Amino acid sequence: MILGEDYLRELLARVLPDIDAPPGSAVLLEGSIAEGFGNSSSDVDFLFVAPGSGDLPTMPSVLFADGRRVEVRTRSARQVADQFAVVTAAAARGTARVVRLPEDLLNRCQRLLHGFVLEDPGALPELPSKREFAAIMTAWWAHRARQAMRYALALSEVDAVEDAAVWAHAALVQGAKSWVAALGETYLEPKWLSLQVDRAGASEPATRYRELESGAGLPARAYVAACGRLLADFGIGGCVPKPGRITLARVPGVTTWPVGDRVHVVRDRRDVFVLGDEVARTWRSVVFGRAPGRDAAIARFVRLGLVRFSWGRAPITPSMPLAAASGPVAPPPSPARPVCGFPVPRCPMWTPSTWSRCPRPGSARRRWRWSGPTSWWRTRART
């Protein structure tokens, strides 16, 4: 730790009068300082574990002492035991359950398990071993790295190589987190990953990770391939593309709605996208269950949630480090919104449109608004 135990006890004594500390509580220092990563400006995080089975508030108390920001959290012994019970139960049921554990739950468990105990009058319940928890985190991070890498490979296959490189980097970070977790470095926050890799010791994978993390000066497609090879060396399988492995799959609730010579795609029975001629030709060429063609428009179909990539029969569900899985997006609005009446079968603004979006109208007494170069259409009730 960068802060001595005597200083921590002195800091704790300063904040105790300002918090409602349950009597007989165990007190731990947790977070980056307890892990040995923090610096002189890092927050000091204390956790009080009270005896009994009460429901204590989950929001921390924030105070300032000696020029430092201090966070104090409280849990009861029953709450702590329940948190770990969920994690161990998932581990007992296999990897499929482990990968569905929420990040917030794992973070709370990890911080407590690796906390530095300042006082323990017997309030702490029995906890799983750090080795057991490390195995859980290894599998959890590996799944996320695998999904991100598969998504990067799929984007590369449709020639969206710049986006593919972004997702390959996300896979690299999460793969490295899985690798260091297997070595006991389970702290979740990616900001200290470089120090975790340093503590893992000198090795070829560590050297290659540092090179790729810095960018390595590789073209986007080569960068994606290099990240994939390093994931394999991290022990993360399932990221080697084979012919026909990456396919397009149908998204429930998405249908095609032709009106005259214009193609509309309805999403989730609510959003309507109007496709221009060139994009409409790409849309008509989509065949579910087959490999996507080399057309960057396919990547935009995926981002809009109109189709999805699959790895064999399994959907690809990517997410950035410590972020929710990516969901469908819609083109952003523009400040320029000329108004057209409804219906607008011959509106001149439809002619150059490539993408349009509108919540499906409930009646003809709605207005359609154009939202600039992405041609995102909306409705607004007429007043």
Side-chain angles (χ1 to χ4, degrees):
M1 289 189 301
I2 63 170
L3 302 179
E5 184 175 345
D6 291 340
Y7 174 78
L8 290 170
R9 292 185 182 280
E10 179 183 344
L11 192 64
L12 179 62
R14 291 187 186 184
V15 301
L16 273 176
D18 297 321
I19 61 174
D20 186 14
S25 296
V27 183
L28 300 90
L29 173 74
E30 58 177 14
S32 60
I33 292 180
E35 296 279 350
F37 299 135
N39 51 45
S40 58
S41 61
S42 295
D43 295 351
V44 178
D45 302 298
F46 291 118
L47 174 65
F48 285 72
V49 180
S53 58
D55 287 317
L56 299 181
T58 58
M59 292 297 293
S61 299
V62 179
L63 307 100
F64 293 87
D66 197 24
R68 288 183 173 274
R69 187 176 187 272
V70 180
E71 290 194 7
V72 180
R73 293 173 174 81
T74 55
R75 299 284 188 279
S76 70
R78 192 267 307 164
Q79 286 176 306
V80 168
D82 287 350
Q83 290 173 7
F84 280 99
V86 173
V87 173
T88 54
R93 300 184 68 175
T95 303
R97 291 283 183 175
V98 166
V99 299
R100 292 162 58 183
L101 289 169
E103 170 260 326
D104 182 63
L105 173 63
L106 292 171
N107 191 38
R108 291 181 184 181
C109 291
Q110 194 279 334
R111 290 165 66 94
L112 191 154
L113 197 60
H114 285 251
F116 180 79
V117 179
L118 293 171
E119 297 180 18
D120 182 13
L124 285 175
E126 184 177 354
L127 304 177
S129 70
K130 293 181 180 180
R131 179 175 295 184
E132 291 176 278
F133 190 79
I136 291 169
M137 292 310 306
T138 300
W140 191 81
W141 280 115
H143 170 78
R144 295 169 72 91
R146 186 178 298 112
Q147 293 298 313
M149 193 66 230
R150 288 177 176 180
Y151 192 60
L153 293 170
L155 290 172
S156 183
E157 191 159 313
V158 299
D159 281 343
V161 291
E162 297 300 327
D163 289 344
V166 172
W167 280 100
H169 179 263
L172 173 70
V173 170
Q174 295 176 107
K177 292 292 286 186
S178 176
W179 179 63
V180 297
L183 302 174
E185 293 285 347
T186 55
Y187 190 70
L188 269 75
E189 187 63 49
K191 66 182 290 185
W192 302 111
L193 176 55
S194 60
L195 296 182
Q196 290 179 295
V197 172
D198 290 344
R199 295 204 309 200
S203 64
E204 183 188 0
T207 301
R208 289 166 58 198
Y209 165 76
R210 294 187 189 95
E211 292 173 353
L212 291 174
E213 174 62 23
S214 65
L218 297 173
R221 199 178 294 277
Y223 183 80
V224 172
C227 289
R229 290 191 295 270
L230 183 52
L231 287 188
D233 289 344
F234 282 156
I236 301 172
C239 299
V240 178
K242 296 179 181 178
R245 176 66 60 84
I246 298 171
T247 60
L248 292 177
R250 189 184 302 275
V251 174
V254 174
T255 57
T256 301
W257 179 31
V259 177
D261 60 353
R262 186 65 63 186
V263 175
H264 305 67
V265 180
V266 184
R267 181 182 73 183
D268 197 27
R269 299 185 179 183
R270 181 175 58 88
D271 300 330
V272 179
F273 293 82
V274 182
L275 275 56
D277 293 338
E278 183 178 348
V279 177
R281 283 193 292 271
T282 302
W283 178 255
R284 293 189 185 102
S285 70
V286 170
V287 179
F288 297 119
R290 295 188 182 178
R294 288 194 173 277
D295 191 331
I298 297 293
R300 195 160 189 185
F301 290 150
V302 173
R303 287 195 295 271
L304 292 169
L306 306 182
V307 296
R308 66 186 180 191
F309 290 127
S310 286
W311 188 269
R313 294 185 179 181
I316 298 175
T317 54
S319 59
M320 289 291 176
L322 295 191
S326 300
V329 299
S334 164
R337 306 187 207 174
V339 178
C340 292
F342 177 81
V344 284
R346 295 179 182 174
C347 175
M349 287 180 295
W350 280 34
T351 303
S353 67
T354 301
W355 306 91
S356 297
R357 174 186 183 268
C358 58
R360 193 169 57 129
S363 70
R365 292 188 60 79
R366 296 245 181 159
R367 287 185 180 182
W368 298 86
R369 286 179 172 261
W370 185 64
S371 298
T374 54
S375 301
W376 175 14
W377 295 71
R378 293 178 163 175
T379 62
R380 189 177 71 175
R382 181 175 295 170
T383 57

